[in-house]
Amino acid sequence: MKEYQSEEEFLKDYDSSIFEKLSLTADIIIFSVSDETQNNYRKLNKKHFSVLLVKRDNYPFKDKWCLPGGFVGIEEDIEDAAKRILYNETNLHDIYLEQLYTFGNPKRDPRMRVISTSYMALIDKNKLNEQITPNASWFHIMTTEDKESIFVTLENGKEEIKFKIGKTLKEKTTDRYKYEILENDKLAFDHPLVIVSGISRLKNKLEYTDIVFNMMPEYFTLGELQQVYEVILGKKLLDPAFRRIIASKVEKTDKMQTGGGHRPSVLFKYKNHDE
Amino acid sequence: MKEYQSEEEFLKDYDSSIFEKLSLTADIIIFSVSDETQNNYRKLNKKHFSVLLVKRDNYPFKDKWCLPGGFVGIEEDIEDAAKRILYNETNLHDIYLEQLYTFGNPKRDPRMRVISTSYMALIDKNKLNEQITPNASWFHIMTTEDKESIFVTLENGKEEIKFKIGKTLKEKTTDRYKYEILENDKLAFDHPLVIVSGISRLKNKLEYTDIVFNMMPEYFTLGELQQVYEVILGKKLLDPAFRRIIASKVEKTDKMQTGGGHRPSVLFKYKNHDE
DNA sequence: TGAATAGTGTCTGTGAGACAATATTAT
DNA sequence: ATAATATTGTCTCACAGACACTATTCA
């Protein structure tokens, strides 16, 4: 092997083609919570935890649904690629975006070796003024879970996607699981795994951060906020406890929400601690 | 564009060279806690939080220190690559290994575009019977932190590595920071960032999992266990509180540790909840 | 005996879970 | 008036922080 005297000299000679190379994609789970008007004028709108999926119109996995994603450019930062894809899909900038996990099973793409770095994005659906792209659709998320499996149902009113994930504890010292796809016929690639790990990350972060406010409009009632927690966590919360916990994070405004056949509610906003 | 009738047909034709490709490495932060005998026979061994670094003997970054790492093979799973590197470095199998983050700044390697998926490994130093490879060395970790920076000092008795990381809150809703290297002249690549995020992940998981037991021998005293928490968290804990919290996770044995010039202590072991 | 560590008792304040009670609106 | 939601009060229990106290060993 030739002896180099300096880093510059070495780099000039360096032939990067000696290693076999691979491709990288960024895939994004875009979560939101959607409203659904009720027939009873007294009742509140029903909220649903939802995710944006795209129908593939090309091989591989033609006609299957998948997460918005795309190849990372050779000179492009991974997170920039994620932002680019997110903007293409939603026309929104400045969205909450967090790296989740990098999936690298050699067989996850039948074409060639493709690594996927997944991101989670949270949006407030009210900001989506324009129509989303025609091959994209919001799906409601419903999950149930037992000791060794997770069952997920996604549905958009026309179509229902069901899949089943097996989970086994990796080691007894932590809460980490090894997930594997047991049943899935409508989602492309290993995206069921990505979705499950995104849901799990979001549930966790709800409990110990203010992440929920990325999915809320500027003004909201505490009832709405509580509902968002409830649909994501998949369980009912007790009102007084919820209000105690959230109290320090929100600020009462002088606006009220009226119109329902019941006591009107004060509108709150997220408290900005810098002010 | 040609119209394909089936996935098989499409794949046969697929030319994967149309995209510019890149390389992927797996880099591992191997953490451990080391003992240091005291001159005073009464005193306990002093423990240090430590990390394993390797001195580079090749360009780029010749003679700088870096985390153990290497290229991921074209047919190799990323985690398998991490395990392979870990085994080469320590001769140990079945080590706690957790994916941390994927770093993909286009300029992080001067040779070419290299993505790095980082892993954190935890080992019990007592299991390291063989000498580690000659160009590797354990460094004690010391960190201090203020509002906008993290200062890290690594030292192995002969050499001292200092670096400084700037941190800025990414958004007000979560505890996520954007880290950037402000001062660093002895570590290769962006490894200061990897080390800082590894330390941060470990500190967090100490608080809400049993992850610490991956760094402990089978039998240990509660004093030792508490010391491990203390050197990693970088703060003293109160004995009664610590014992209360840890009580449900450990099991008293009938062994005792004697020999110090003080009251001997009962040896405990990690409680296996399956039994 | 004394330095050093091991181990326990207990008070106090905080905060979550549970449930009860009151308040207010549109029809 | 009533259904539905909004909002508050309060009791209890679990648990962490703080500090004081007792126990045991070896040179």
Side-chain angles (χ1 to χ4, degrees):
Chain A
M1 197 192 233
K2 180 173 167 186
E3 270 297 320
Y4 291 100
Q5 296 309 310
S6 77
E7 182 126 350
E8 287 68 32
E9 193 189 335
F10 162 82
L11 286 174
K12 215 170 62 189
D13 252 27
Y14 190 83
D15 176 10
S16 74
S17 67
I18 55 174
F19 298 103
E20 251 192 303
K21 298 205 193 169
L22 30 78
S23 303
L24 176 68
T25 64
D27 293 307
I28 313 178
I29 316 185
I30 307 174
F31 286 127
S32 189
V33 170
S34 48
D35 267 342
E36 202 173 79
T37 351
Q38 297 286 80
N39 42 8
N40 182 338
Y41 81 98
R42 288 184 187 280
K43 289 211 167 182
L44 288 177
N45 290 345
K46 196 167 183 191
K47 292 196 186 295
H48 288 279
F49 182 32
S50 39
V51 63
L52 190 69
L53 297 181
V54 174
K55 191 155 205 163
R56 292 185 62 83
D57 51 9
N58 261 317
Y59 292 106
F61 298 107
K62 187 169 185 314
D63 297 326
K64 306 249 173 187
W65 292 93
C66 72
L67 296 168
F71 286 97
V72 176
I74 190 73
E75 286 294 338
E76 186 181 37
D77 189 82
I78 314 178
E79 189 161 318
D80 290 341
K83 285 180 183 158
R84 167 174 58 78
I85 294 158
L86 193 51
Y87 181 74
N88 283 344
E89 212 59 56
T90 63
N91 267 298
L92 295 175
H93 280 301
D94 298 320
I95 292 301
Y96 182 88
L97 187 67
E98 166 177 346
Q99 192 186 105
L100 271 181
Y101 197 79
T102 297
F103 294 85
N105 186 304
K107 299 276 171 256
R108 58 177 297 285
D109 190 314
R111 291 170 291 187
M112 55 181 177
R113 183 72 193 273
V114 180
I115 307 296
S116 160
T117 296
S118 55
Y119 285 82
M120 168 173 87
L122 303 181
I123 68 172
D124 163 20
K125 258 199 165 181
N126 303 306
K127 286 195 186 140
L128 279 180
N129 33 21
E130 321 198 19
Q131 204 52 42
I132 51 174
T133 45
N135 58 340
S137 173
W138 287 98
F139 284 75
H140 293 173
I141 304 173
M142 282 143 292
T143 62
T144 58
E145 192 160 343
D146 64 23
K147 203 139 199 171
E148 64 266 347
S149 322
I150 303 174
F151 303 87
V152 181
T153 306
L154 308 174
E155 67 105 14
N156 69 348
K158 297 177 212 155
E159 200 166 343
E160 196 179 63
I161 299 173
K162 278 173 179 279
F163 59 87
K164 179 181 174 184
I165 304 285
K167 56 172 193 178
T168 41
L169 202 56
K170 273 196 178 159
E171 69 278 316
K172 58 181 178 179
T173 58
T174 69
D175 50 359
R176 295 192 310 150
Y177 291 93
K178 181 174 177 295
Y179 292 126
E180 65 184 318
I181 303 172
L182 296 182
E183 290 166 23
N184 167 48
D185 57 353
K186 294 198 169 171
L187 282 177
F189 305 106
D190 49 7
H191 289 183
L193 298 180
V194 187
I195 291 173
V196 162
S197 61
I199 294 173
S200 153
R201 173 81 63 97
L202 179 58
K203 281 186 180 179
N204 276 326
K205 288 224 165 174
L206 268 196
E207 314 253 22
Y208 69 94
T209 70
D210 299 353
I211 201 172
V212 70
F213 296 106
N214 294 292
M215 313 173 80
M216 300 302 292
E218 186 174 2
Y219 298 100
F220 49 83
T221 70
L222 294 187
E224 284 169 348
L225 186 59
Q226 186 173 341
Q227 274 187 78
V228 172
Y229 272 88
E230 289 175 344
V231 296
I232 297 175
L233 295 177
K235 64 179 180 197
K236 285 282 168 205
L237 303 177
L238 293 170
D239 300 5
F242 179 78
R243 279 159 182 267
R244 266 198 310 253
I245 296 162
I246 218 73
S248 63
K249 302 179 177 180
V250 296
E251 221 168 0
K252 198 181 262 190
T253 70
D254 50 9
K255 298 183 177 61
M256 296 282 280
Q257 183 162 83
T258 57
H262 50 76
R263 176 170 172 181
S265 139
V266 176
L267 286 169
F268 284 76
K269 63 178 194 176
Y270 181 45
K271 186 184 272 178
N272 192 336
H273 294 277
D274 309 333
E275 282 169 9
Chain B
M1 199 191 234
K2 180 173 168 188
E3 270 297 320
Y4 291 99
Q5 296 308 309
S6 77
E7 182 128 350
E8 287 69 32
E9 194 190 334
F10 162 82
L11 285 175
K12 214 171 62 188
D13 252 29
Y14 191 84
D15 176 11
S16 73
S17 67
I18 56 175
F19 299 103
E20 249 190 305
K21 297 205 193 171
L22 28 80
S23 303
L24 176 68
T25 63
D27 293 306
I28 313 178
I29 316 184
I30 307 174
F31 286 127
S32 189
V33 169
S34 48
D35 267 341
E36 202 173 79
T37 351
Q38 296 287 81
N39 42 8
N40 182 339
Y41 80 98
R42 289 184 187 279
K43 288 210 169 184
L44 287 179
N45 290 346
K46 196 167 182 191
K47 291 197 186 294
H48 288 278
F49 182 31
S50 38
V51 64
L52 188 70
L53 297 180
V54 174
K55 191 154 207 164
R56 294 185 61 82
D57 51 9
N58 261 316
Y59 292 106
F61 298 106
K62 188 168 183 318
D63 297 326
K64 306 250 172 184
W65 292 92
C66 72
L67 297 167
F71 286 98
V72 176
I74 191 71
E75 287 294 338
E76 184 181 36
D77 189 81
I78 314 178
E79 190 162 318
D80 289 342
K83 284 179 184 158
R84 168 174 57 80
I85 294 159
L86 193 52
Y87 181 71
N88 283 344
E89 213 59 57
T90 63
N91 267 299
L92 295 175
H93 281 299
D94 299 320
I95 291 303
Y96 182 87
L97 187 67
E98 167 178 345
Q99 192 186 105
L100 270 182
Y101 197 79
T102 297
F103 294 85
N105 187 303
K107 299 274 172 259
R108 58 177 297 286
D109 190 313
R111 291 170 290 186
M112 56 182 174
R113 184 73 193 272
V114 180
I115 308 296
S116 160
T117 296
S118 55
Y119 285 81
M120 169 173 85
L122 303 180
I123 68 173
D124 163 20
K125 260 198 164 182
N126 304 306
K127 288 196 185 139
L128 280 180
N129 33 22
E130 321 198 19
Q131 205 51 42
I132 52 173
T133 46
N135 58 340
S137 172
W138 287 98
F139 284 76
H140 293 172
I141 304 173
M142 283 144 292
T143 63
T144 58
E145 192 161 341
D146 64 24
K147 204 138 198 172
E148 64 267 347
S149 323
I150 303 175
F151 303 88
V152 181
T153 306
L154 307 175
E155 67 105 16
N156 69 348
K158 297 176 210 156
E159 201 166 342
E160 195 179 64
I161 299 173
K162 278 173 178 278
F163 59 87
K164 178 179 173 184
I165 304 285
K167 56 172 192 178
T168 41
L169 202 56
K170 272 196 178 160
E171 68 278 314
K172 59 180 178 180
T173 57
T174 68
D175 49 359
R176 295 192 310 152
Y177 291 93
K178 180 176 178 293
Y179 293 126
E180 66 185 315
I181 303 172
L182 297 182
E183 290 166 24
N184 167 47
D185 58 353
K186 293 198 171 173
L187 281 177
F189 305 106
D190 49 6
H191 287 183
L193 298 180
V194 187
I195 291 172
V196 161
S197 61
I199 293 173
S200 152
R201 174 82 62 97
L202 180 58
K203 280 185 180 178
N204 275 326
K205 289 225 164 172
L206 268 195
E207 315 253 21
Y208 68 95
T209 70
D210 298 353
I211 201 172
V212 70
F213 296 106
N214 293 293
M215 314 174 80
M216 301 300 294
E218 187 175 1
Y219 298 100
F220 48 82
T221 70
L222 294 187
E224 284 168 347
L225 186 60
Q226 186 172 341
Q227 274 188 76
V228 172
Y229 272 88
E230 288 175 344
V231 297
I232 296 176
L233 295 176
K235 64 179 180 196
K236 284 280 169 208
L237 303 177
L238 294 170
D239 300 7
F242 179 77
R243 278 156 185 269
R244 266 198 310 254
I245 295 163
I246 218 73
S248 63
K249 303 178 177 179
V250 296
E251 223 168 0
K252 198 181 263 191
T253 70
D254 50 8
K255 299 185 177 60
M256 297 283 280
Q257 183 161 83
T258 57
H262 50 77
R263 176 171 171 179
S265 136
V266 176
L267 285 169
F268 285 76
K269 62 177 195 176
Y270 181 45
K271 186 184 271 178
N272 193 336
H273 294 279
D274 310 333
E275 283 170 10

